[in-house]
């Protein structure tokens, strides 16, 4: 059993993924505040989206450093697989990217969300 935080790459992978996670928690708190207060609703939603992209970059950096250095520096014997946490990390990174696009595009539909647009009826005459 080898403790990975002894090496510099282990600390780097853990630190970058931790920074991405902290940014994700900050985005979650900002989103709750933004949607709870009407005057802030669409003022900094794009900023939250940009911060989610930054969080995704940090998460992906950590998720790339870990397997590359793990497989080159640690002797692989028998069946070596990454745990379910590695797949969970990639799922988190993909969700951060998708939510970043969602939050960046959301202000474009502000009038439709708030109900300020007249409904459009599509019909044909007989």
């Amino acid at each position: 059993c080898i403790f990975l935080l002894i090496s510099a790459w282990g600390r780097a992978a853990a630190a970058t993924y931790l920074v991405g996670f902290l940014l994700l928690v900050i985005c979650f708190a900002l989103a709750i505040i933004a949607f709870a207060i009407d005057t802030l609703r669409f003022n900094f939603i794009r900023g939250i989206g940009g911060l989610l992209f930054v969080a995704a970059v940090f998460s992906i950096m950590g998720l790339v450093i870990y397997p590359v250095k793990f497989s080159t520096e640690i002797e692989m014997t028998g069946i070596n697989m990454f745990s379910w946490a590695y797949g969970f990390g990639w799922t988190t990174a993909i969700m951060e990217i998708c939510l970043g696009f969602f939050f960046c595009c959301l202000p474009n539909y502000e009038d439709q969300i708030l109900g300020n647009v007249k409904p459009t009826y599509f019909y044909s005459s007989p």
Side-chain angles (χ1 to χ4, degrees):
C1 187
I2 299 171
F3 188 61
L4 295 179
L5 293 181
I6 293 173
S7 59
W9 64 267
R11 288 190 303 269
T16 55
Y17 195 76
L18 184 64
V19 168
F21 176 73
L22 290 175
L23 287 174
L24 180 64
V25 170
I26 290 169
C27 288
F28 180 73
L30 288 175
I32 288 176
I33 292 168
F35 287 115
I37 301 170
D38 290 336
T39 57
L40 297 177
R41 183 165 293 153
F42 291 100
N43 289 339
F44 62 97
I45 294 295
R46 280 197 176 111
I48 294 172
L51 198 58
L52 280 166
F53 283 124
V54 172
V57 167
F58 276 105
S59 297
I60 290 172
M61 282 180 4
L63 289 168
V64 168
I65 291 171
Y66 175 71
V68 169
K69 296 303 284 183
F70 184 85
S71 61
T72 58
E73 292 194 12
I74 295 176
E75 183 180 335
M76 301 290 222
T77 57
I79 298 174
N80 290 298
M81 296 187 309
F82 298 113
S83 69
W84 59 270
Y86 185 69
F88 182 74
W90 275 108
T91 304
T92 305
I94 291 169
M95 287 179 65
E96 287 170 345
I97 293 170
C98 294
L99 285 171
F101 280 118
F102 175 75
F103 275 94
C104 285
C105 294
L106 191 63
N108 294 340
Y109 301 101
E110 177 180 359
D111 290 332
Q112 287 87 353
I113 293 170
L114 296 176
N116 297 333
V117 178
K118 290 174 47 176
T120 304
Y121 299 104
F122 297 101
Y123 62 91
S124 61
S125 59

